[in-house]
Amino acid sequence: MITREPTLERLAIAQSLMLDPFGLSEATMAHALATIGEHRIDDADLYFQTTRHEGWSLEEGIVKSGSFSIDQGVGVRAVVGEKTAFAYSDDLSPESLLEAARTVRTIAAAGQHRRVKVGRAPRIAPSRVLYAPTDPIATLDSTQKVALLEKVERLARAKDPRVVQVMASLGAEYDVVLVARADGTRAADVRPLVRLNVTVIAEQTVAGVVRREVGSGGGGGRFGLGYFQDAVIERYVDHAVKAALTNLDSRPAPAGEMTVVLGPGWPGVLLHEAVGHGLEGDFNRKGASTFSGRLGQRVAAKGVTVLDDGTLADRRGSLNVDDEGHVTQRNVLIEDGILRGYMQDSLNARLMGGKPTGNGRRESYASLPMPRMTNTYMLAGTRTKAEILASIKRGLYATNFGGGQVDITSGKFVFSASEAFWVENGKILYPVKGATLVGNGPEAMTRVSMIGNDLELDTGVGVCGKEGQSVPVGVGQPTLRIERLTVGGTA
């Protein structure tokens, strides 16, 4: 069987879904870009997108809701200096595309910067093959999807009689994008995305007092729903039930400055928030980040190497090309404690005299691209988890996190631990509840004293918000020991 080169295949899929049915063509796109380029601009692009999403949810043993949505449209952008002119439409007709182009041209006219050459012969952008162009919605039928959720509930309830309620949800998305740039670049991506979530409530009565606690688990990635085989489902359910039962026995968390050990995997969300956002190009170009102007300087302890890597196969945060048509990369941000680079989209890279790093991302065709993380994680060290825990005289071991926030300018963060333990003399004594980590991201990275050899990535649940836009991301890290972190507790 003869098959097309993967990049050409993706372009063909995008054309069949978003151009051909609406009378759009390469000539139409070239005309729109030429219209924008009638005034002096630095850059321009068209971003076509069609997205189909399906969701199912189960509660109290019943599938209570199902949803299906389709969204499609085009975003038209021109960049002049630091300013951007932008228009979008959910009508994929030649008339609407040209009207959006004329609107952008008018807005951009006041800029009068420099002229970027448009009308070049189209050229296909390089890209990767990180996941199959699967439509995950079609990989299971409705009966199978309902049966999957019912299996999750049965497994969770069978784990322990204290499990009194189970909630599960299943989502699948088929996202196709096409980017046409003023310099002739054409790029496309076909992005499957699935996610299975389970939340359990456990209840027990002690001395006449009823106590309820919540635990959650789940994951996913860029593949079909067939990924959720019994072993995977069992792992998600185990995690959710264990978390709920652990919290049933938790005591109030201590407060004060202490040694904190972060578990591997999802606790990397603290790294994502407290350090990752501060390394995005727009904040650094504007001087708003605590990392601004510090390339080549030590910003973390020796041994700390942080990457943003959009090239990991099948991962939730990975992309074959970013939302500006640039190939994704494995970007070293911090190397052995030294700041080596920032994450860039095309606008900020140009203004900072650098190159795009494959981090130009947008929530949809109705949104502007900006520098965003993909899969952000710290590389492993040499210590075992047992060694790190044994080294603690008195401190907190946090293995899971809920919500948190960070101030980019100051680097200050606040994070709540959803699962944590009190440790004394190298022994885990009991689980604690209500622990909140308070600190400064760059300072915390200089206080990393031990790095585990057990790097884990999260299971595929991350969603990152920035300026009102949400995108799927990944996080990860090995076990870390950090000195002198402030813990806000309830004890």
PDB file of all heavy atoms in Angstrom, residues 127-158:
ATOM      1  N   SER A 127       7.773  19.051  10.384  1.00  0.00           N
ATOM      2  CA  SER A 127       7.019  18.708  11.593  1.00  0.00           C
ATOM      3  C   SER A 127       7.414  17.320  12.045  1.00  0.00           C
ATOM      4  O   SER A 127       8.201  16.631  11.407  1.00  0.00           O
ATOM      5  CB  SER A 127       5.513  18.782  11.348  1.00  0.00           C
ATOM      6  OG  SER A 127       5.087  17.741  10.508  1.00  0.00           O
ATOM      7  N   ARG A 128       6.835  16.912  13.167  1.00  0.00           N
ATOM      8  CA  ARG A 128       7.161  15.621  13.754  1.00  0.00           C
ATOM      9  C   ARG A 128       5.998  14.652  13.592  1.00  0.00           C
ATOM     10  O   ARG A 128       4.915  15.045  13.169  1.00  0.00           O
ATOM     11  CB  ARG A 128       7.498  15.809  15.230  1.00  0.00           C
ATOM     12  CG  ARG A 128       8.612  16.818  15.468  1.00  0.00           C
ATOM     13  CD  ARG A 128       9.047  16.859  16.904  1.00  0.00           C
ATOM     14  NE  ARG A 128      10.087  17.854  17.113  1.00  0.00           N
ATOM     15  CZ  ARG A 128      11.376  17.668  16.862  1.00  0.00           C
ATOM     16  NH1 ARG A 128      11.782  16.485  16.386  1.00  0.00           N
ATOM     17  NH2 ARG A 128      12.274  18.614  17.066  1.00  0.00           N
ATOM     18  N   VAL A 129       6.243  13.399  13.944  1.00  0.00           N
ATOM     19  CA  VAL A 129       5.186  12.396  13.973  1.00  0.00           C
ATOM     20  C   VAL A 129       5.180  11.822  15.389  1.00  0.00           C
ATOM     21  O   VAL A 129       5.884  10.865  15.690  1.00  0.00           O
ATOM     22  CB  VAL A 129       5.406  11.289  12.934  1.00  0.00           C
ATOM     23  CG1 VAL A 129       4.228  10.315  12.962  1.00  0.00           C
ATOM     24  CG2 VAL A 129       5.577  11.878  11.547  1.00  0.00           C
ATOM     25  N   LEU A 130       4.388  12.447  16.265  1.00  0.00           N
ATOM     26  CA  LEU A 130       4.377  12.096  17.679  1.00  0.00           C
ATOM     27  C   LEU A 130       3.157  11.286  18.078  1.00  0.00           C
ATOM     28  O   LEU A 130       3.147  10.675  19.145  1.00  0.00           O
ATOM     29  CB  LEU A 130       4.442  13.373  18.529  1.00  0.00           C
ATOM     30  CG  LEU A 130       5.636  14.287  18.261  1.00  0.00           C
ATOM     31  CD1 LEU A 130       5.507  15.562  19.081  1.00  0.00           C
ATOM     32  CD2 LEU A 130       6.940  13.577  18.592  1.00  0.00           C
ATOM     33  N   TYR A 131       2.133  11.293  17.234  1.00  0.00           N
ATOM     34  CA  TYR A 131       0.903  10.559  17.514  1.00  0.00           C
ATOM     35  C   TYR A 131       0.179  10.343  16.206  1.00  0.00           C
ATOM     36  O   TYR A 131       0.382  11.067  15.223  1.00  0.00           O
ATOM     37  CB  TYR A 131       0.015  11.320  18.502  1.00  0.00           C
ATOM     38  CG  TYR A 131       0.034  12.826  18.309  1.00  0.00           C
ATOM     39  CD1 TYR A 131      -0.765  13.443  17.356  1.00  0.00           C
ATOM     40  CD2 TYR A 131       0.868  13.631  19.072  1.00  0.00           C
ATOM     41  CE1 TYR A 131      -0.732  14.812  17.168  1.00  0.00           C
ATOM     42  CE2 TYR A 131       0.908  14.999  18.892  1.00  0.00           C
ATOM     43  CZ  TYR A 131       0.102  15.593  17.945  1.00  0.00           C
ATOM     44  OH  TYR A 131       0.136  16.959  17.748  1.00  0.00           O
ATOM     45  N   ALA A 132      -0.667   9.321  16.183  1.00  0.00           N
ATOM     46  CA  ALA A 132      -1.405   8.988  14.965  1.00  0.00           C
ATOM     47  C   ALA A 132      -2.551   9.972  14.757  1.00  0.00           C
ATOM     48  O   ALA A 132      -3.141  10.469  15.719  1.00  0.00           O
ATOM     49  CB  ALA A 132      -1.949   7.573  15.062  1.00  0.00           C
ATOM     50  N   PRO A 133      -2.914  10.249  13.504  1.00  0.00           N
ATOM     51  CA  PRO A 133      -4.030  11.161  13.214  1.00  0.00           C
ATOM     52  C   PRO A 133      -5.383  10.479  13.417  1.00  0.00           C
ATOM     53  O   PRO A 133      -6.220  10.399  12.522  1.00  0.00           O
ATOM     54  CB  PRO A 133      -3.788  11.549  11.762  1.00  0.00           C
ATOM     55  CG  PRO A 133      -3.114  10.358  11.170  1.00  0.00           C
ATOM     56  CD  PRO A 133      -2.248   9.800  12.266  1.00  0.00           C
ATOM     57  N   THR A 134      -5.587   9.967  14.620  1.00  0.00           N
ATOM     58  CA  THR A 134      -6.767   9.173  14.952  1.00  0.00           C
ATOM     59  C   THR A 134      -7.933  10.074  15.345  1.00  0.00           C
ATOM     60  O   THR A 134      -7.740  11.091  16.005  1.00  0.00           O
ATOM     61  CB  THR A 134      -6.442   8.238  16.138  1.00  0.00           C
ATOM     62  OG1 THR A 134      -5.304   7.444  15.795  1.00  0.00           O
ATOM     63  CG2 THR A 134      -7.607   7.355  16.501  1.00  0.00           C
ATOM     64  N   ASP A 135      -9.133   9.673  14.967  1.00  0.00           N
ATOM     65  CA  ASP A 135     -10.329  10.303  15.529  1.00  0.00           C
ATOM     66  C   ASP A 135     -10.718   9.477  16.746  1.00  0.00           C
ATOM     67  O   ASP A 135     -11.334   8.417  16.620  1.00  0.00           O
ATOM     68  CB  ASP A 135     -11.468  10.312  14.506  1.00  0.00           C
ATOM     69  CG  ASP A 135     -12.750  10.905  15.082  1.00  0.00           C
ATOM     70  OD1 ASP A 135     -12.758  11.302  16.266  1.00  0.00           O
ATOM     71  OD2 ASP A 135     -13.758  10.966  14.340  1.00  0.00           O
ATOM     72  N   PRO A 136     -10.384   9.923  17.963  1.00  0.00           N
ATOM     73  CA  PRO A 136     -10.614   9.074  19.136  1.00  0.00           C
ATOM     74  C   PRO A 136     -12.087   8.855  19.448  1.00  0.00           C
ATOM     75  O   PRO A 136     -12.446   7.860  20.075  1.00  0.00           O
ATOM     76  CB  PRO A 136      -9.922   9.846  20.263  1.00  0.00           C
ATOM     77  CG  PRO A 136      -9.925  11.266  19.812  1.00  0.00           C
ATOM     78  CD  PRO A 136      -9.779  11.210  18.322  1.00  0.00           C
ATOM     79  N   ILE A 137     -12.946   9.764  19.019  1.00  0.00           N
ATOM     80  CA  ILE A 137     -14.381   9.621  19.281  1.00  0.00           C
ATOM     81  C   ILE A 137     -14.913   8.340  18.649  1.00  0.00           C
ATOM     82  O   ILE A 137     -15.806   7.680  19.182  1.00  0.00           O
ATOM     83  CB  ILE A 137     -15.141  10.857  18.765  1.00  0.00           C
ATOM     84  CG1 ILE A 137     -14.692  12.103  19.525  1.00  0.00           C
ATOM     85  CG2 ILE A 137     -16.653  10.674  18.895  1.00  0.00           C
ATOM     86  CD1 ILE A 137     -15.255  13.402  18.973  1.00  0.00           C
ATOM     87  N   ALA A 138     -14.328   7.970  17.508  1.00  0.00           N
ATOM     88  CA  ALA A 138     -14.804   6.792  16.775  1.00  0.00           C
ATOM     89  C   ALA A 138     -14.147   5.493  17.214  1.00  0.00           C
ATOM     90  O   ALA A 138     -14.494   4.424  16.694  1.00  0.00           O
ATOM     91  CB  ALA A 138     -14.574   6.999  15.276  1.00  0.00           C
ATOM     92  N   THR A 139     -13.226   5.555  18.182  1.00  0.00           N
ATOM     93  CA  THR A 139     -12.502   4.335  18.546  1.00  0.00           C
ATOM     94  C   THR A 139     -13.293   3.415  19.473  1.00  0.00           C
ATOM     95  O   THR A 139     -12.917   2.253  19.650  1.00  0.00           O
ATOM     96  CB  THR A 139     -11.144   4.677  19.188  1.00  0.00           C
ATOM     97  OG1 THR A 139     -11.347   5.559  20.306  1.00  0.00           O
ATOM     98  CG2 THR A 139     -10.231   5.353  18.170  1.00  0.00           C
ATOM     99  N   LEU A 140     -14.361   3.917  20.094  1.00  0.00           N
ATOM    100  CA  LEU A 140     -15.309   3.093  20.829  1.00  0.00           C
ATOM    101  C   LEU A 140     -16.717   3.572  20.486  1.00  0.00           C
ATOM    102  O   LEU A 140     -16.922   4.774  20.268  1.00  0.00           O
ATOM    103  CB  LEU A 140     -15.105   3.200  22.350  1.00  0.00           C
ATOM    104  CG  LEU A 140     -13.824   2.622  22.970  1.00  0.00           C
ATOM    105  CD1 LEU A 140     -13.854   2.846  24.486  1.00  0.00           C
ATOM    106  CD2 LEU A 140     -13.653   1.153  22.648  1.00  0.00           C
ATOM    107  N   ASP A 141     -17.673   2.656  20.469  1.00  0.00           N
ATOM    108  CA  ASP A 141     -19.044   3.110  20.243  1.00  0.00           C
ATOM    109  C   ASP A 141     -19.674   3.523  21.575  1.00  0.00           C
ATOM    110  O   ASP A 141     -19.080   3.355  22.650  1.00  0.00           O
ATOM    111  CB  ASP A 141     -19.880   2.044  19.531  1.00  0.00           C
ATOM    112  CG  ASP A 141     -20.042   0.757  20.335  1.00  0.00           C
ATOM    113  OD1 ASP A 141     -20.056   0.803  21.583  1.00  0.00           O
ATOM    114  OD2 ASP A 141     -20.162  -0.322  19.707  1.00  0.00           O
ATOM    115  N   SER A 142     -20.893   4.066  21.529  1.00  0.00           N
ATOM    116  CA  SER A 142     -21.536   4.612  22.729  1.00  0.00           C
ATOM    117  C   SER A 142     -21.716   3.551  23.805  1.00  0.00           C
ATOM    118  O   SER A 142     -21.503   3.807  25.001  1.00  0.00           O
ATOM    119  CB  SER A 142     -22.886   5.225  22.365  1.00  0.00           C
ATOM    120  OG  SER A 142     -22.728   6.305  21.465  1.00  0.00           O
ATOM    121  N   THR A 143     -22.087   2.360  23.413  1.00  0.00           N
ATOM    122  CA  THR A 143     -22.288   1.278  24.383  1.00  0.00           C
ATOM    123  C   THR A 143     -20.988   0.953  25.110  1.00  0.00           C
ATOM    124  O   THR A 143     -20.969   0.736  26.334  1.00  0.00           O
ATOM    125  CB  THR A 143     -22.823   0.019  23.669  1.00  0.00           C
ATOM    126  OG1 THR A 143     -24.060   0.327  23.021  1.00  0.00           O
ATOM    127  CG2 THR A 143     -23.040  -1.108  24.666  1.00  0.00           C
ATOM    128  N   GLN A 144     -19.893   0.918  24.382  1.00  0.00           N
ATOM    129  CA  GLN A 144     -18.596   0.626  24.984  1.00  0.00           C
ATOM    130  C   GLN A 144     -18.150   1.745  25.928  1.00  0.00           C
ATOM    131  O   GLN A 144     -17.538   1.474  26.974  1.00  0.00           O
ATOM    132  CB  GLN A 144     -17.549   0.404  23.886  1.00  0.00           C
ATOM    133  CG  GLN A 144     -17.773  -0.851  23.057  1.00  0.00           C
ATOM    134  CD  GLN A 144     -16.865  -0.909  21.849  1.00  0.00           C
ATOM    135  OE1 GLN A 144     -16.744   0.056  21.087  1.00  0.00           O
ATOM    136  NE2 GLN A 144     -16.213  -2.059  21.664  1.00  0.00           N
ATOM    137  N   LYS A 145     -18.450   2.986  25.582  1.00  0.00           N
ATOM    138  CA  LYS A 145     -18.075   4.114  26.447  1.00  0.00           C
ATOM    139  C   LYS A 145     -18.837   4.071  27.769  1.00  0.00           C
ATOM    140  O   LYS A 145     -18.259   4.288  28.844  1.00  0.00           O
ATOM    141  CB  LYS A 145     -18.334   5.427  25.708  1.00  0.00           C
ATOM    142  CG  LYS A 145     -17.414   5.639  24.513  1.00  0.00           C
ATOM    143  CD  LYS A 145     -17.903   6.754  23.602  1.00  0.00           C
ATOM    144  CE  LYS A 145     -17.052   6.826  22.345  1.00  0.00           C
ATOM    145  NZ  LYS A 145     -17.585   7.752  21.324  1.00  0.00           N
ATOM    146  N   VAL A 146     -20.123   3.763  27.698  1.00  0.00           N
ATOM    147  CA  VAL A 146     -20.921   3.642  28.916  1.00  0.00           C
ATOM    148  C   VAL A 146     -20.413   2.474  29.761  1.00  0.00           C
ATOM    149  O   VAL A 146     -20.273   2.572  30.988  1.00  0.00           O
ATOM    150  CB  VAL A 146     -22.409   3.467  28.575  1.00  0.00           C
ATOM    151  CG1 VAL A 146     -23.213   3.109  29.820  1.00  0.00           C
ATOM    152  CG2 VAL A 146     -22.960   4.729  27.926  1.00  0.00           C
ATOM    153  N   ALA A 147     -20.119   1.363  29.112  1.00  0.00           N
ATOM    154  CA  ALA A 147     -19.626   0.185  29.827  1.00  0.00           C
ATOM    155  C   ALA A 147     -18.296   0.473  30.517  1.00  0.00           C
ATOM    156  O   ALA A 147     -18.031  -0.029  31.626  1.00  0.00           O
ATOM    157  CB  ALA A 147     -19.479  -0.986  28.859  1.00  0.00           C
ATOM    158  N   LEU A 148     -17.445   1.284  29.897  1.00  0.00           N
ATOM    159  CA  LEU A 148     -16.165   1.649  30.491  1.00  0.00           C
ATOM    160  C   LEU A 148     -16.382   2.415  31.792  1.00  0.00           C
ATOM    161  O   LEU A 148     -15.733   2.131  32.816  1.00  0.00           O
ATOM    162  CB  LEU A 148     -15.365   2.481  29.485  1.00  0.00           C
ATOM    163  CG  LEU A 148     -13.884   2.745  29.767  1.00  0.00           C
ATOM    164  CD1 LEU A 148     -13.169   3.082  28.472  1.00  0.00           C
ATOM    165  CD2 LEU A 148     -13.670   3.864  30.757  1.00  0.00           C
ATOM    166  N   LEU A 149     -17.284   3.389  31.777  1.00  0.00           N
ATOM    167  CA  LEU A 149     -17.568   4.161  32.984  1.00  0.00           C
ATOM    168  C   LEU A 149     -18.184   3.283  34.071  1.00  0.00           C
ATOM    169  O   LEU A 149     -17.870   3.434  35.262  1.00  0.00           O
ATOM    170  CB  LEU A 149     -18.499   5.333  32.657  1.00  0.00           C
ATOM    171  CG  LEU A 149     -17.908   6.426  31.769  1.00  0.00           C
ATOM    172  CD1 LEU A 149     -18.963   7.479  31.453  1.00  0.00           C
ATOM    173  CD2 LEU A 149     -16.700   7.074  32.423  1.00  0.00           C
ATOM    174  N   GLU A 150     -19.057   2.380  33.678  1.00  0.00           N
ATOM    175  CA  GLU A 150     -19.664   1.477  34.667  1.00  0.00           C
ATOM    176  C   GLU A 150     -18.605   0.562  35.290  1.00  0.00           C
ATOM    177  O   GLU A 150     -18.678   0.231  36.483  1.00  0.00           O
ATOM    178  CB  GLU A 150     -20.769   0.663  33.998  1.00  0.00           C
ATOM    179  CG  GLU A 150     -21.978   1.501  33.609  1.00  0.00           C
ATOM    180  CD  GLU A 150     -23.016   0.724  32.819  1.00  0.00           C
ATOM    181  OE1 GLU A 150     -22.644  -0.324  32.220  1.00  0.00           O
ATOM    182  OE2 GLU A 150     -24.173   1.163  32.799  1.00  0.00           O
ATOM    183  N   LYS A 151     -17.613   0.166  34.507  1.00  0.00           N
ATOM    184  CA  LYS A 151     -16.531  -0.661  35.032  1.00  0.00           C
ATOM    185  C   LYS A 151     -15.725   0.121  36.073  1.00  0.00           C
ATOM    186  O   LYS A 151     -15.348  -0.443  37.121  1.00  0.00           O
ATOM    187  CB  LYS A 151     -15.617  -1.116  33.898  1.00  0.00           C
ATOM    188  CG  LYS A 151     -14.445  -1.978  34.355  1.00  0.00           C
ATOM    189  CD  LYS A 151     -13.535  -2.333  33.199  1.00  0.00           C
ATOM    190  CE  LYS A 151     -14.209  -3.255  32.220  1.00  0.00           C
ATOM    191  NZ  LYS A 151     -13.289  -3.685  31.134  1.00  0.00           N
ATOM    192  N   VAL A 152     -15.474   1.392  35.789  1.00  0.00           N
ATOM    193  CA  VAL A 152     -14.762   2.237  36.749  1.00  0.00           C
ATOM    194  C   VAL A 152     -15.499   2.253  38.084  1.00  0.00           C
ATOM    195  O   VAL A 152     -14.902   2.088  39.156  1.00  0.00           O
ATOM    196  CB  VAL A 152     -14.606   3.677  36.196  1.00  0.00           C
ATOM    197  CG1 VAL A 152     -14.116   4.625  37.283  1.00  0.00           C
ATOM    198  CG2 VAL A 152     -13.650   3.693  35.008  1.00  0.00           C
ATOM    199  N   GLU A 153     -16.814   2.420  38.034  1.00  0.00           N
ATOM    200  CA  GLU A 153     -17.577   2.488  39.281  1.00  0.00           C
ATOM    201  C   GLU A 153     -17.541   1.169  40.034  1.00  0.00           C
ATOM    202  O   GLU A 153     -17.338   1.127  41.255  1.00  0.00           O
ATOM    203  CB  GLU A 153     -19.030   2.892  39.003  1.00  0.00           C
ATOM    204  CG  GLU A 153     -19.707   3.331  40.292  1.00  0.00           C
ATOM    205  CD  GLU A 153     -21.194   3.054  40.288  1.00  0.00           C
ATOM    206  OE1 GLU A 153     -21.652   2.172  39.564  1.00  0.00           O
ATOM    207  OE2 GLU A 153     -21.877   3.736  41.059  1.00  0.00           O
ATOM    208  N   ARG A 154     -17.707   0.060  39.326  1.00  0.00           N
ATOM    209  CA  ARG A 154     -17.684  -1.237  39.985  1.00  0.00           C
ATOM    210  C   ARG A 154     -16.346  -1.499  40.670  1.00  0.00           C
ATOM    211  O   ARG A 154     -16.286  -1.974  41.807  1.00  0.00           O
ATOM    212  CB  ARG A 154     -17.967  -2.362  38.971  1.00  0.00           C
ATOM    213  CG  ARG A 154     -19.399  -2.445  38.503  1.00  0.00           C
ATOM    214  CD  ARG A 154     -19.653  -3.791  37.816  1.00  0.00           C
ATOM    215  NE  ARG A 154     -18.706  -4.071  36.738  1.00  0.00           N
ATOM    216  CZ  ARG A 154     -18.879  -3.685  35.485  1.00  0.00           C
ATOM    217  NH1 ARG A 154     -19.953  -2.984  35.141  1.00  0.00           N
ATOM    218  NH2 ARG A 154     -17.969  -3.995  34.560  1.00  0.00           N
ATOM    219  N   LEU A 155     -15.267  -1.184  39.969  1.00  0.00           N
ATOM    220  CA  LEU A 155     -13.939  -1.401  40.532  1.00  0.00           C
ATOM    221  C   LEU A 155     -13.729  -0.558  41.782  1.00  0.00           C
ATOM    222  O   LEU A 155     -13.182  -1.036  42.791  1.00  0.00           O
ATOM    223  CB  LEU A 155     -12.870  -1.071  39.487  1.00  0.00           C
ATOM    224  CG  LEU A 155     -12.658  -2.079  38.361  1.00  0.00           C
ATOM    225  CD1 LEU A 155     -11.717  -1.506  37.312  1.00  0.00           C
ATOM    226  CD2 LEU A 155     -12.108  -3.391  38.911  1.00  0.00           C
ATOM    227  N   ALA A 156     -14.140   0.698  41.728  1.00  0.00           N
ATOM    228  CA  ALA A 156     -13.933   1.597  42.867  1.00  0.00           C
ATOM    229  C   ALA A 156     -14.716   1.136  44.086  1.00  0.00           C
ATOM    230  O   ALA A 156     -14.200   1.120  45.214  1.00  0.00           O
ATOM    231  CB  ALA A 156     -14.316   3.022  42.478  1.00  0.00           C
ATOM    232  N   ARG A 157     -15.955   0.754  43.900  1.00  0.00           N
ATOM    233  CA  ARG A 157     -16.788   0.326  45.036  1.00  0.00           C
ATOM    234  C   ARG A 157     -16.286  -1.001  45.621  1.00  0.00           C
ATOM    235  O   ARG A 157     -16.422  -1.250  46.835  1.00  0.00           O
ATOM    236  CB  ARG A 157     -18.244   0.200  44.604  1.00  0.00           C
ATOM    237  CG  ARG A 157     -18.904   1.554  44.349  1.00  0.00           C
ATOM    238  CD  ARG A 157     -20.397   1.408  44.150  1.00  0.00           C
ATOM    239  NE  ARG A 157     -21.027   2.697  43.904  1.00  0.00           N
ATOM    240  CZ  ARG A 157     -21.416   3.538  44.871  1.00  0.00           C
ATOM    241  NH1 ARG A 157     -21.223   3.216  46.153  1.00  0.00           N
ATOM    242  NH2 ARG A 157     -21.982   4.686  44.572  1.00  0.00           N
ATOM    243  N   ALA A 158     -15.695  -1.822  44.773  1.00  0.00           N
ATOM    244  CA  ALA A 158     -15.203  -3.112  45.246  1.00  0.00           C
ATOM    245  C   ALA A 158     -13.909  -2.985  46.046  1.00  0.00           C
ATOM    246  O   ALA A 158     -13.526  -3.924  46.764  1.00  0.00           O
ATOM    247  CB  ALA A 158     -14.977  -4.052  44.064  1.00  0.00           C
TER     248      ALA A 158
END
